[in-house]
Amino acid sequence: MNLVLFGPPGAGKGTQAKRLTQVLGIPQISTGDMMRAERASGSELGKQFDHYMSQGLLVPDELTLELLKKRLLEPDAAKGAIFDGYPRTVPQAEALDKLLAAQGRKIDRVVSIEVPLEEMIDRVVLRRTCERCGHIYHLRYNPPPSPDACGQCGGKLVQRKDDTEEVVRKRNDEYLAKTAPILGHYGKLGIVKTVSGIGSLDEVEARIKAAL
Ligand SMILES: [Zn+2]
């Protein structure tokens, strides 16, 4: 099973991907994490990543594909992988299709976790973060013992600068603009399923499993 997981920032995509690795026995592939690891390893490929990343430039698709190709040939990925945060563009999706085809496989399923904008705003705007230890609360779903003090360390709870309705709307617009064409690409292959991202982690996980 080769699976691509989509979801807006804050929809719990990363958490669900981790859970699915357990259920499906296949690794989660995050190109961002892999690039950082390769860069830290000092390999030839890593040095090329460093060249772009140290200047804040986008890493060319060919380099990312080379990394993916290598990763997919590792034994733990023999039965498939969960792609998290990749592809981000239609050309990347097409290149991934080709890469997989060369290895005799394909993307079997694309699951898009959908959370209504109002729900996303609600989740983020009521979020409070401990200034001292970074612990995250939600005033409704995961309330701290006192509204201004961290239950873990007693630090001050603050609303982070980015945790505003305006930022959520902007991120959501960007996400939809970016994702719609990619979902269109996979949609033509008839492999896209959408699931609701509302509810507990267990509920969302059950929906994803049912969609596979
Ligand atoms: Zn704290």
Side-chain angles (χ1 to χ4, degrees), residues 129-135 137 149-157:
T129 307
C130 173
E131 251 182 356
R132 194 185 296 162
C133 74
H135 194 84
Y137 295 92
C150 175
Q152 308 282 321
C153 75
K156 191 179 164 206
L157 296 181

Side-chain angles (χ1 to χ4, degrees), residues 22 71 85 90-91 101 114 117 121 131 163 171 204:
Q22 308 287 324
R71 180 66 185 88
V90 172
E114 296 189 344
L117 181 58
I121 290 170
E131 251 182 356
D163 287 351
R171 278 203 199 122
V204 177

Side-chain angles (χ1 to χ4, degrees), residues 2-8 11-21 24 28-29 81-88 96 107 109-114 175 179 182-183 186 193-195 204-205 207-209 211-212:
N2 288 286
L3 168 70
V4 178
L5 215 51
F6 282 111
K13 175 172 62 73
T15 307
Q16 290 298 339
K18 277 200 185 67
R19 287 175 158 229
L20 288 169
T21 61
L24 301 172
Q28 173 185 5
I29 291 192
I82 301 162
F83 295 90
D84 164 19
Y86 191 92
R88 287 180 191 276
L96 180 61
I107 297 294
R109 178 65 73 210
V110 174
V111 174
S112 178
I113 304 170
E114 296 189 344
Y175 169 76
T179 314
I182 310 172
L183 288 177
Y186 290 120
K193 290 254 172 96
T194 59
V195 299
V204 177
E205 182 186 334
R207 286 182 207 129
I208 296 173
K209 282 197 269 186
L212 298 180

